[in-house]
């Protein structure tokens, strides 16, 4: 007999920690915690459980090949033979590593090739198929790095450049063997100053040096040995050679050594894994995530990122100061914050102050006798003042923005660090030196205090510089260079320049940069249509006490098609004394680039010697920007950080001693807005010094906005309220509105507000009459009759007031005047065009000064507070000052914005008009009065024909047109004011709203109520019928609650007719909609509760199966909590049965009842209000009531129109009040 047996190769895994499959021995292998930088091993066996040979292959996933390795990876096992497989684990980062090791088993060879007819064609044997796969799970925790640092982030405080500081760093060996370490680092320098270029961001791995003068970081022992479980203390030296923020990431490379310090030999698998981990850490440090932003937690043992790494941070700087704010005491002409910032070159000065010192400047400071003429110079020009005016005091707020203490000092040019001996000969002084010494010693035109100060980080001080216009020597021009020195920092010259004008000498101040001599315009978007070229206003101020005539000459900019890109509309004009002229400029760019054009302003005036002419040369700079690029858009670009070179401070920083009130914001930027849009901003005025008063009653202040401003008079700007009071500790809230009912233009103007102390009127008690003659006096109404011939002292015009009002003007040539007893200025008739400003081209075409310019009533009201004081103090902008009047001040609010056309707003700037408030009907936009429809259309023809006289018929037609326009505007104003009333708006809000109809329907089929309640009705249904009592019980079983009236009546009906029997289908088909909805809601609630119950049961079963120990512990805690609650309840019951407890519970019930009564009363009031609301809703929704209301309003307005047309009612005059005597009274 032949006997044999066939077997299939099978393998088993032996040596797993936890066996999950006893047949194959598959399970898991757990490594001991391994430090990053070291390696550990585990071994398991592969056993051939069959009697036939097999081939096995041990495979790891690709993602685990850099952390785990296998040896051997393949092998041949005969019957009942075993082979050990070693797994090496070398972690590259902290964390728990998990992977799978798959052992694939296959026979020695595959099936033989197929037999062929020709014996010489043997064929190819197929590869052996995998017969079995045994999976072993590898779990390897990677603990902290073999080397750790304490502290993980070493930070140095801000240091002075070229100084050194040392700190200790501890290196900790957490392994059980001695370690040899070496330190490498990557560095980065961050730029934090204005204009400084950052260093290259490419990170290069370098060795940490131990010595060197040019190195920024030094460690005394960058390489060395650390015994097992020991620490080593090293010194880290930070030596910054430049200003900036420095960051260093130090990485440690480790090698295990024996007791003699020799490196331990590793097998190739361990060596290759450790090398891969070290290279991966280096690549991550150089090219991976930013190691400098790592926190202490990430560098500690709790985070898996950045192993064997520490971060060293430090910063270095020079002492520096910046200018935060500048003010001028008093309301002087042309001395706004933005103008003074430009006159004193503070933008360029701040840019220089915030730039770190260069190597040349450091060497310059170290020289014993440097050449001070090499230092940069910054002109600081005071606004010219007439001879004899009060001093012009400038307050400059200086702050230390850095982290180092800073000190500065101001030196005059005649000061010396070393006093010369009497015998030393300096030589003959130059004329410039003689002039400067005379200005300092004899004229004493300038006063500076304090001359030196020290500022801690974040500290500030106020530098006071005063110019006294008391001398006309040197033709009235006084220049004083002062040296500003910062300790161990910058040095520069500030050229103070003041000008004293003759009593009848004018002087024109142009808003140009004194350093570059450029006059900038606001950028304009490329693609703007010629008719939409925005109007830009350049205000030129006359600081003298004499009028002048000006003429503007500029180089024309022409495009490819001969279009004028630049145009000054009023190139000739007149400027009154202490007034201003607005140059109307339009610019149209053709490409996104900068344009420059020379501009000359010639002005002439009359002197005793004849006519004198002065020429001011400047460069007009204008630019175009691409509206598609947000970085070029001036309204969308990045904001300049506060405290740098920006001049747009929104609030006041420096405190003026003579200023009792301040504005919450001094610059209101409306941004870009389309025509007809209304934009609102809020500004508050507060008087902080009112609470510091030493009197018994704190003062009350009054404020008055400049209602005579050109933009306010035109309706473009609106301030509400225009006047009011500020009580102690309170604020005045004002609304500033931009109503863009105008042509496209750029807004950049100053709006003034006068704040003065209110006069208190003490009420005295009246004494009773002591004689019968006093008793026989007429009644109070007759006694207090006003005498029309009497003039109030407040309205009386004195000589000082008249002289002050005639010598002072406001910007835009607005002259103040005294108020009248009625309205200050009679308003023009409705429909008449508004008066034109005296400096406009249409009102002053001959170039001669106007004979009677209009005066501002609101400004006169401001001026009347000063009474009969000197003109210098009574004038708002007439070169005077209000320093002597501590209870009054003028505040300036800067208004900025841009108005563009609606089509341009949507096409070029992608503006959303829907988000803007544009009143309807469309507001009327007046056309430009000084330009044609196309401001850039070249026209050489001029019309000098005089207007023809109108005939009688044409005159009557014109009057009818004016009358109809007056009625149209008046009716519009009446309707608009009526609709703006809060009562009318509240009534309109009460009108019923149309319900929102959903735009979709749900088409998913639903089960009927009968189908959903089939199981609930089964016990009660017999032969398709059911009693009403059983139906009621079924509804109660599903949880139906009678929450509405319909369901309550339905359940009551079922209870009363419980014995009646009905068909089931007919019963459910006859349910009303309200009852059906209530039943469906009850069924949905029951289904949801059932789903929640099933979810909780499944969760409980899953927790018992997955984590029985945790579930048992949770059950024990829950039982303990229940026991605790039971004991607490028993203690409470025992206390409640006691006398004290019963008494406390009794009073608590009383308080609860009172509170419930209070809540019930509140609910009753709310229900009554809701009932009233429903009644009003129903009434307002009635068509008859609406028809009655509309008919009444229409009839009232029609009667007013008819009376106005028949001259029975004057819409422009107030109604006449008549007093009717009562019946029985004597006449």
């Amino acid at each position: 007999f032949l006997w044999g047996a066939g077997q299939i190769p099978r393998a088993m895994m032996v040596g797993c920690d936890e066996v999950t499959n006893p047949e194959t021995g598959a399970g898991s292998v757990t490594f001991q915690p391994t430090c990053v930088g070291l390696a550990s091993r585990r071994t398991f066996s592969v056993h051939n459980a069959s009697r036939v040979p097999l081939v096995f292959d041990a495979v790891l996933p690709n993602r685990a090949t850099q952390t785990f390795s296998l040896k051997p990876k393949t092998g041949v096992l005969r019957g009942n033979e075993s082979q050990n497989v070693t797994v090496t684990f070398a972690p590259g980062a902290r964390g728990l590593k998990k992977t799978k090791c798959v052992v694939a088993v296959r026979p020695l060879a595959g099936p033989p090739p197929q037999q062929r007819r020709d014996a010489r064609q043997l064929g190819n044997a197929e590869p052996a198929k995998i017969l079995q796969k045994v999976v072993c799970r590898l779990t390897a925790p990677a603990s902290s790095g073999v080397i750790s640092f304490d502290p993980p982030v070493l930070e140095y405080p801000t240091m002075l450049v070229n100084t050194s500081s040392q700190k200790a760093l501890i290196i900790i060996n957490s392994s059980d063997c001695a370690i040899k370490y070496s330190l490498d680092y990557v560095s980065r320098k961050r730029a934090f100053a204005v204009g400084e270029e950052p260093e290259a961001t490419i990170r290069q791995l370098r060795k940490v040096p131990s010595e060197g003068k040019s190195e920024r970081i030094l460690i005394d022992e960058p390489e060395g040995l650390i015994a097992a479980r020991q620490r080593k203390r090293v010194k880290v030296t930070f030596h910054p050679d430049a200003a900036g923020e420095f960051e260093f990431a130090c990485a440690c490379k480790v090698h295990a050594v024996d007791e003699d310090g020799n490196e331990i030999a590793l097998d190739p698998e361990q060596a290759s894994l450790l090398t891969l981990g070290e290279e991966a850490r280096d690549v991550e440090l150089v090219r991976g995530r930013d190691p400098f932003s790592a926190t202490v937690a990430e560098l500690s043992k709790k985070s898996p990122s950045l192993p064997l790494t520490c971060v060293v941070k430090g910063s270095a700087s020079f002492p520096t100061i910046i200018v935060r704010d500048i003010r001028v005491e008093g309301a002087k002409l042309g001395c706004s914050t933005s103008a003074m910032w430009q006159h004193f070159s503070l933008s360029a000065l701040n840019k220089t102050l915030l730039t770190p010192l260069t190597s040349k400047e450091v060497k310059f400071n170290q020289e014993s006798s440097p050449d001070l003429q090499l230092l940069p110079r910054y002109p600081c020009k005071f606004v010219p003042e007439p001879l004899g005016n009060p001093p012009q005091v400038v307050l400059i707020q200086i702050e230390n923005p850095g982290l180092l203490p800073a000190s500065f000092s101001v030196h005059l040019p005649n000061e010396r660090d070393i006093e010369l001996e009497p015998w030393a000969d300096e030589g003959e002084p130059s004329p410039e030196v003689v002039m400067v010494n005379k200005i300092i010693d004899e004229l004493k035109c300038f006063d500076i205090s304090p001359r030196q100060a020290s500022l801690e980080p974040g500290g500030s001080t106020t530098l006071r510089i005063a110019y006294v216009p008391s001398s006309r020597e040197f033709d009235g021009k006084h220049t004083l260079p002062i040296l500003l020195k910062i300790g161990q920092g910058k040095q520069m010259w500030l050229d103070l320049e003041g000008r004293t004008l003759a009593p009848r000498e004018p002087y024109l101040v142009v808003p140009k940069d004194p350093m570059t001599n450029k006059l900038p315009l606001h950028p304009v978007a490329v693609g703007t249509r010629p008719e939409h070229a925005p109007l830009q206003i350049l205000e030129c101020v006359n600081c003298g006490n004499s009028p002048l005539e000006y003429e503007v000459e500029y180089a024309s900019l022409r495009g490819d098609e001969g279009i004028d890109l630049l145009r000054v509309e009023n190139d000739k004009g007149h400027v009154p004394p202490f007034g201003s002229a607005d140059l109307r400029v339009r610019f149209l760019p053709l490409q996104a680039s900068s344009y420059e054009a020379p501009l000359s302003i010639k002005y002439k005036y009359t002197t005793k010697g004849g006519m004198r002419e002065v020429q001011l040369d400047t460069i007009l700079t204008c630019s175009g920007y691409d509206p598609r690029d947000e970085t070029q858009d001036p309204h969308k670009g990045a904001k300049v950080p506060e405290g740098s070179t920006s001049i747009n401070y929104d609030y006041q920083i420096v405190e003026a001693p003579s200023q009792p009130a301040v504005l919450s914001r001094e610059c209101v930027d409306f941004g870009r807005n389309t025509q007809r849009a209304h934009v609102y901003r809020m500004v508050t005025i507060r008087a902080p010094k009112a609470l510091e008063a030493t009197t018994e009653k704190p003062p009350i202040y009054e404020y008055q906005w400049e209602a005579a401003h050109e933009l306010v008079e035109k309706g473009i700007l609106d301030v509400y309220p225009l006047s009011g009071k500020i009580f102690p500790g309170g604020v005045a809230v004002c609304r500033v509105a931009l109503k863009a009912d105008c042509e496209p233009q750029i807004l950049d103007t100053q709006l003034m507000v006068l704040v003065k102390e209110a006069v208190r009127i003490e009420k005295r008690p009246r004494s009773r009459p002591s004689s019968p003659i006093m008793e026989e006096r007429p009644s109070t109404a007759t006694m207090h009759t006003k005498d029309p011939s009497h003039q109030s002292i407040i309205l009386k015009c004195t000589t000082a007031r008249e002289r002050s009002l005639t010598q002072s003007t406001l910007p835009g040539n607005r002259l103040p005047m005294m108020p009248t007893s009625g309205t200050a200025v009679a308003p023009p008739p409705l429909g008449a065009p508004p008066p034109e400003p005296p400096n406009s081209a249409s009102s002053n075409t001959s170039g001669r000064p106007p004979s009677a310019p209009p005066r501002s009533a609101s400004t006169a009201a401001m001026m009347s507070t000063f009474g009969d004081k000197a003109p210098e103090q009574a004038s708002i902008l007439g070169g005077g000052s209000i320093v002597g009047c501590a209870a009054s001040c003028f505040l300036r609010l800067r208004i900025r914005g841009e108005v563009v056309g609606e089509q341009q707003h949507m096409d070029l700037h992608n503006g959303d008009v829907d988000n803007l408030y544009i009143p309807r009907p469309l507001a009327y936009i007046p056309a430009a009065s000084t330009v044609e429809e196309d401001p850039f259309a070249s026209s050489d023809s001029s019309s000098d024909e005089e207007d023809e006289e109108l005939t009688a018929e044409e005159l009557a037609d014109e009057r009818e047109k004016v009358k109809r326009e007056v009625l149209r505007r008046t009716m519009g104003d009446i309707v608009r004011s009526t609709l703006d009333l809060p009562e009318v708006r509240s009534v309109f809000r009460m009108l019923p709203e149309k319900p929102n109809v959903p735009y979709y329907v749900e088409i998913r089929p639903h089960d009927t109520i009968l189908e959903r309640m089939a199981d609930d009705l089964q016990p009660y249904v017999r032969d398709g019928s059911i009693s009403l009592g059983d139906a009621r019980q079924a509804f109660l079983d599903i949880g139906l609650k009678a929450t509405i009236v319909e369901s309550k009546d339905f359940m009551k009906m079922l209870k009363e007719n419980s014995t009646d029997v009905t068909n089931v289908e007919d019963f459910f088909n006859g349910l009303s909609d309200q009852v059906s909805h209530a039943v469906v809601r009850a069924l949905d609630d029951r289904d949801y509760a059932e789903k929640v119950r099933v979810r909780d049961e499944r969760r409980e079963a899953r927790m018992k199966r997955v984590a029985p120990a945790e579930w048992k512990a949770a059950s024990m805690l829950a039982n303990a909590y229940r026991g605790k609650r039971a004991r607490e309840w028993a203690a409470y019951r025992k206390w409640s049965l006691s006398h004290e407890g019963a008494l406390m519970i009794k009073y608590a019930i009383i308080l609860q009842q009172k509170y419930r009564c209070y809540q019930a009363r509140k609910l009753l009031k709310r229900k009554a209000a809701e009932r009233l609301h429903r009644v009003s809703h129903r009434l307002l929704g009635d068509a008859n009531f609406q028809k009655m209301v509309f008919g009444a309003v229409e009839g009232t307005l029609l009667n007013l129109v008819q009376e106005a047309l028949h001259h029975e009612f004057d819409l422009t005059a107030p109604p006449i009040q008549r007093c009717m005597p009562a019946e029985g009274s004597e006449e």
Side-chain angles (χ1 to χ4, degrees), residues 1081-1098:
R1081 191 181 303 111
L1083 291 172
D1084 293 340
D1085 294 341
R1086 188 185 66 171
D1087 294 345
Y1088 177 75
E1090 179 65 20
K1091 292 178 181 178
V1092 171
R1093 185 186 63 78
V1094 173
R1095 183 200 62 186
D1096 295 341
E1097 291 179 356
R1098 291 178 178 176

Side-chain angles (χ1 to χ4, degrees), residues 820-841:
T820 60
S821 58
T823 56
V825 175
L830 293 174
E836 298 179 351
N839 64 331
S840 62

Side-chain angles (χ1 to χ4, degrees), residues 140 186 486 529 553 794 1116:
V186 293
I486 305 173
R529 297 177 61 86
E553 296 180 358
I794 299 178
M1116 293 177 60

